[in-house]
Amino acid sequence: MSISENKFLRGVVVFATCATAFVLAVQMTTIPVGNARTISELDREIAAMNAKIREYQRQISQYREQADSLAAQVGILRAQEAAIQAEIDLSELQKQQLEDQIENTEQRIVDTQERLGDVIVDVHLARDLSPLERALSSRDIAEFIDREMAMSIVSNSLRQAARELQLLKSQLDEDKVGVEKILNEQTTQRNNLAATRAQQQYLLTVTRGTEQGYQNMKNAAETELVALNAERIRLWQEVNGGSNNINRQPGQKAARNYSGLLGCAGSGSGYPNHGAGLWNSRYGCNYAYGSGWDAWGMSNRHCTSYVAWALWNRFGKHVAPFGGAGNAKQWPDTAPRLMGAVANNTPAVGSAAVWDYGTPDSVSRWGHVMLVEAIYNDGWLRVSHFNYGTRGGEFSIMDIPADSAVYVHFRNR
């Protein structure tokens, strides 16, 4: 039977992962629990809360995608508004220039008409005299002819100028009407764009608000989940030392005789107090949790780093780098393939006990690995581990049911 087919994996309930086996060190709300409340009931609540969080995240993603699409549309509309406004500004400038030209042309027409009127008056006055009288008033016949021709030329020229100015004004008026029509169309287009953008902006605001609402509900659910997990730990810690009667199903994770957090190198963990010089990395208890990598490619003070170190140093086991596949739940697959280890359902002192092997990532992404220290006659065994409890990167000891884990047996060096 393959490891993935192990019967005990059915009904496994999520609690700890290697990278997140601890409950975040935040102020936690204690949930009142009566005598009737059991670990199984808490497991159901935790599973329901996880399902609720996943649904909230689905809604958040959906509304975020909608909001991003609306924001892009608003940006496009705003750019189109800016472009049409630039065209409106240009049309208004053209309209103003035409109005100035029309005003100037009208003034020129008035001036021309006044000059033409003066010439007409002079002509009429001259016509009151007979040709003989006009000739006699001239010094000679040449002057008489020149004056008659000049009056005729000026009169004709002014009339021609007046006609041309009237034509120019008509053309300018027509151009102005055309520009005003274009301007009206552009203004209507801009107003329509502004109205559409305002509508899209309103939808964007509503969508962002809905997204934030689901985010707030998710945050509240995650806070409640932290409290539920903390309560589960508390119940485990309250279980009497020799009793395994905690209403668990076969294969379900449980714990008893939890030591509490013992620090990094406390109570005989043996985990190094200083950098081991391997890979020149930040490794050991003098360095912060998760601040570096050990010789096996494990993050400092994680469960995987401690167990790999203990197997190598305390039990003389052959543990090699995991090639990027060293999450706790990957050990039953990776160690046999890369190191010749054996994975099965039978615990042994000095073997690695893995929780959450075979569970989907949506249930437990990393899993949790422990070192088997002792085996009892009641179906339980003693384990030591790191990164379990309310703070990360610390050592602790507890008992677990033998049927709740997969066991990886490394060969001797």
Side-chain angles (χ1 to χ4, degrees):
M1 180 182 295
S2 68
I3 297 173
S4 62
E5 295 173 337
N6 291 327
K7 293 182 180 179
F8 74 85
L9 290 176
R10 292 178 299 175
V12 171
V13 180
V14 178
F15 171 64
T17 64
C18 179
T20 56
F22 63 95
V23 178
L24 295 178
V26 298
Q27 184 175 359
M28 296 179 291
T29 303
T30 301
I31 302 175
V33 178
N35 292 333
R37 197 171 193 187
T38 65
I39 290 290
S40 296
E41 290 170 338
L42 273 174
D43 286 338
R44 286 192 292 271
E45 292 183 41
I46 289 171
M49 192 62 64
N50 276 317
K52 185 181 293 186
I53 290 171
R54 288 194 295 272
E55 174 59 20
Y56 288 155
Q57 183 57 57
R58 188 186 70 80
Q59 295 287 352
I60 289 168
S61 299
Q62 176 181 330
Y63 282 103
R64 182 172 299 159
E65 182 178 352
Q66 293 177 7
D68 290 344
S69 176
L70 286 168
Q73 293 176 32
V74 168
I76 292 171
L77 289 168
R78 184 175 287 112
Q80 290 175 343
E81 277 187 78
I84 197 65
Q85 184 60 53
E87 294 179 7
I88 288 173
D89 293 341
L90 180 60
S91 295
E92 288 179 340
L93 176 61
Q94 292 175 342
K95 178 184 174 184
Q96 184 61 51
Q97 291 174 341
L98 286 169
E99 288 175 345
D100 292 343
Q101 292 177 356
I102 289 170
E103 182 179 357
N104 177 265
T105 302
E106 288 174 342
Q107 185 60 48
R108 290 171 61 192
I109 290 172
V110 171
D111 293 342
T112 302
Q113 289 174 339
E114 289 179 352
R115 290 174 58 195
L116 181 58
D118 292 341
V119 170
I120 291 172
V121 169
D122 290 342
V123 169
H124 279 290
L125 290 176
R127 285 178 178 173
D128 289 339
L129 300 176
S130 66
L132 179 59
E133 289 175 326
R134 293 199 303 272
L136 291 174
S137 63
S138 301
R139 290 192 297 269
D140 52 39
I141 190 64
E143 181 182 350
F144 168 74
I145 294 172
D146 290 342
R147 186 167 59 183
E148 291 293 317
M149 290 180 64
M151 290 179 66
S152 176
I153 291 172
V154 169
S155 177
N156 291 335
S157 177
L158 290 173
R159 285 190 176 89
Q160 180 65 27
R163 283 193 296 271
E164 291 175 355
L165 289 172
Q166 287 291 352
L167 290 174
L168 175 60
K169 181 179 179 302
S170 297
Q171 183 62 52
L172 291 172
D173 287 338
E174 183 179 342
D175 292 344
K176 179 184 174 184
V177 170
V179 170
E180 288 176 338
K181 180 180 179 181
I182 293 173
L183 185 57
N184 289 335
E185 292 173 352
Q186 291 170 337
T187 302
T188 299
Q189 184 180 357
R190 181 198 61 190
N191 293 341
N192 290 339
L193 286 170
T196 303
R197 180 178 59 83
Q199 182 182 32
Q200 297 297 90
Q201 184 64 55
Y202 172 75
L203 292 175
L204 174 60
T205 301
V206 171
T207 304
R208 291 291 191 202
T210 305
E211 176 193 345
Q212 186 58 50
Y214 277 107
Q215 184 64 58
N216 293 341
M217 289 189 287
K218 181 189 174 191
N219 292 343
E222 287 176 339
T223 299
E224 189 172 351
L225 181 62
V226 169
L228 287 170
N229 281 324
E231 180 60 19
R232 199 172 194 276
I233 291 174
R234 188 188 69 78
L235 288 179
W236 283 358
Q237 294 171 354
E238 290 179 356
V239 176
N240 292 330
S243 173
N244 64 357
N245 182 21
I246 59 171
N247 299 316
R248 60 176 292 274
Q249 299 296 320
Q252 182 178 338
K253 291 182 294 185
R256 72 185 188 192
N257 295 332
Y258 178 58
S259 66
L261 296 172
L262 301 174
C264 181
S267 299
S269 76
Y271 197 71
N273 280 313
H274 53 78
L278 301 172
W279 295 5
N280 296 318
S281 63
R282 296 174 62 85
Y283 167 56
C285 289
N286 283 354
Y287 297 107
Y289 160 73
S291 62
W293 305 93
D294 63 20
W296 300 278
M298 308 301 178
S299 184
N300 188 41
R301 295 170 64 173
H302 278 235
C303 62
T304 50
S305 179
Y306 164 72
V307 174
W309 173 87
L311 288 170
W312 179 276
N313 288 279
R314 289 179 51 198
F315 292 93
K317 299 297 182 179
H318 173 68
V319 184
F322 281 71
N327 288 336
K329 66 187 298 181
Q330 296 174 304
W331 280 35
D333 293 325
T334 306
R337 178 168 52 86
L338 296 182
M339 296 163 236
V342 175
N344 57 31
N345 300 95
T346 305
V349 173
S351 62
V354 177
W355 267 354
D356 293 327
Y357 172 72
T359 58
D361 285 352
S362 60
V363 176
S364 174
R365 182 176 178 183
W366 295 282
H368 185 60
V369 64
M370 302 155 280
L371 182 69
V372 178
E373 301 281 359
I375 301 175
Y376 304 125
N377 294 327
D378 61 353
W380 288 62
L381 50 87
R382 191 75 162 161
V383 296
S384 63
H385 52 173
F386 258 56
N387 206 26
Y388 180 95
T390 56
R391 292 191 303 272
E394 295 194 23
F395 177 69
S396 61
I397 299 170
M398 66 185 185
D399 300 339
I400 67 169
D403 64 2
S404 68
V406 171
Y407 300 94
V408 183
H409 307 270
F410 291 79
R411 59 184 176 84
N412 294 329
R413 293 204 306 268

